[in-house]
């Protein structure tokens, strides 16, 4: 069996000014400085990335972006490119978050171009997939999630995908306080791993880290993270406080 190092990433969404970023990350840095068995990352808003990179320099916390454009430069008002993120100290990027899909119209085709760009720039793409409440009730969870995976990974081969992380985030569990049960989450994670195995080969699937996201908190993290195919968490609300993100890292 392949050992997969767990990865916990905080997604701050549209929260925190530069000074709030400095305060929270200084506290987080101190709280997790002795952890080396878990990969840790934080995704602040774009305006805080440079300040975050300063605070995190030489630490065990990676800097992530919440989105990016697929092109390096050009007339794309309001967008941020991979080289800009690399220059700011970013190593990981969240792509295809359900809020980007639902509120900003991102399609699988668009997300595919971003995943390709992230890999081309040697950034770690965190590809988010997940079903709505209605889709779950209609028994469409598997078709939705596998459709999102094949849509976003359509052009990639196994060798390109060493660093890929997938985040399974059932939309009905995001920011709602509803969490998938460990059994529900494990079931979808296993399906994702099998599907990636069919698509890209068993070796890639065995190494692939699959995060769970959706109302992960210090008190439910341990039971989720002990499931065999749950290799970490993408944490929204509970990542805004250094102590609660540190507690989730320790639960790992
Ligand atoms: P939540 O968000 O932890 O606040 O539910 C998770 C996410 O959107 O990544």
């Amino acid at each position: 069996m392949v050992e997969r190092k767990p990865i916990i990433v905080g997604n701050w969404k549209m929260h925190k000014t530069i000074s709030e970023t400095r305060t929270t990350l200084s506290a987080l840095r101190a709280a997790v400085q002795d952890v080396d068995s878990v990969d840790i990352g934080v995704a602040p808003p774009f305006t805080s990335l440079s300040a975050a990179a300063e605070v995190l320099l030489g630490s065990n916390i990676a800097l992530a972006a919440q989105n990016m454009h697929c092109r390096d430069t050009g007339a794309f008002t309001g967008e941020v490119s991979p080289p800009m993120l690399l220059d700011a100290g970013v190593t990981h990027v969240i792509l295809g978050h359900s809020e980007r899909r639902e509120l900003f119209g991102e399609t699988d085709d668009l997300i595919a171009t971003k995943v390709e760009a992230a890999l081309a720039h040697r950034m770690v793409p965190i590809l988010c997939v997940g079903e709505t409440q209605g889709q779950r009730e209609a028994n469409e969870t598997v078709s939705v999630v596998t459709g999102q995976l094949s849509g976003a990974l359509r052009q990639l081969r196994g060798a390109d995908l060493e660093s890929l992380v997938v985040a399974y985030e059932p939309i009905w569990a995001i920011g709602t306080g509803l969490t998938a049960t460990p059994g529900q989450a494990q079931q979808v994670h296993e399906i994702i791993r099998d599907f990636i195995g069919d698509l890209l080969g068993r070796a890639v699937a065995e190494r692939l880290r699959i995060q769970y996201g959706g109302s992960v908190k210090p008190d439910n993290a341990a039971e989720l993270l002990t499931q065999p195919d749950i290799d970490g968490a993408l944490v929204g609300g509970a990542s805004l406080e250094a102590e609660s993100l540190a507690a989730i890292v320790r639960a790992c």
Side-chain angles (χ1 to χ4, degrees):
M1 254 214 17
V2 179
E3 280 286 322
R4 294 183 292 268
K5 189 174 184 185
I7 176 167
I8 306 283
V9 175
N11 172 13
W12 284 1
K13 309 192 180 184
M14 199 170 71
H15 294 282
K16 293 196 192 285
T17 61
I18 292 172
S19 68
E20 289 165 346
T21 297
R22 288 187 197 282
T23 309
T24 308
L25 290 183
S26 302
L28 181 67
R29 181 178 176 145
V32 300
Q33 60 183 353
D34 54 341
V35 175
D36 59 12
S37 55
V38 180
D39 284 340
I40 306 167
V42 174
F46 290 130
T47 45
S48 284
L49 287 175
S50 292
E54 279 169 30
V55 178
L56 298 180
L57 192 69
S59 76
N60 56 348
I61 304 169
L63 189 56
Q66 298 175 17
N67 180 31
M68 73 175 190
H69 197 269
C70 64
R71 302 277 286 273
D72 286 3
T73 54
F76 302 106
T77 301
E79 292 291 312
V80 175
S81 76
M84 291 169 186
L85 294 177
L86 288 170
D87 190 38
V90 167
T91 54
H92 294 53
V93 58
I94 299 169
L95 296 173
H97 189 281
S98 60
E99 287 151 16
R100 301 291 324 163
R101 294 175 190 260
E102 288 204 323
L103 304 173
F104 303 99
E106 291 200 6
T107 60
D108 288 329
D109 279 350
L110 180 75
I111 295 160
T113 65
K114 297 181 181 201
V115 173
E116 285 162 38
L119 292 167
H121 287 277
R122 304 204 175 282
M123 297 164 83
V124 177
I126 301 174
L127 170 64
C128 301
V129 297
E131 81 287 1
T132 63
Q133 177 83 57
Q135 289 164 333
R136 175 161 280 263
E137 281 162 10
N139 275 327
E140 291 168 3
T141 301
V142 174
S143 60
V144 168
V145 167
T146 55
Q148 289 169 335
L149 288 171
S150 53
L153 302 176
R154 61 191 152 87
Q155 312 227 347
L156 300 168
R157 299 199 193 292
D160 297 322
L161 289 164
E162 286 295 312
S163 66
L164 176 74
V165 174
V166 170
Y168 169 58
E169 299 203 301
I171 295 170
W172 48 271
I174 295 180
T176 56
L178 294 172
T179 320
T181 63
Q184 279 175 326
Q186 165 58 26
Q187 192 180 30
V188 181
H189 281 232
E190 194 178 339
I191 289 165
I192 291 173
R193 196 175 307 287
D194 286 344
F195 184 77
I196 294 288
D198 292 344
L199 196 68
L200 303 166
R202 201 63 222 167
V204 173
E206 282 299 324
R207 283 194 302 270
L208 176 73
R209 293 183 294 177
I210 309 174
Q211 297 177 307
Y212 170 77
S215 299
V216 176
K217 306 270 182 286
D219 60 4
N220 63 19
E223 55 174 3
L224 287 159
L225 291 163
T226 46
Q227 298 297 312
D229 288 295
I230 301 186
D231 309 308
L234 186 55
V235 185
S239 73
L240 294 172
E241 301 288 335
E243 305 79 72
S244 71
L245 187 57
I248 292 168
V249 169
R250 274 194 295 274
C252 227

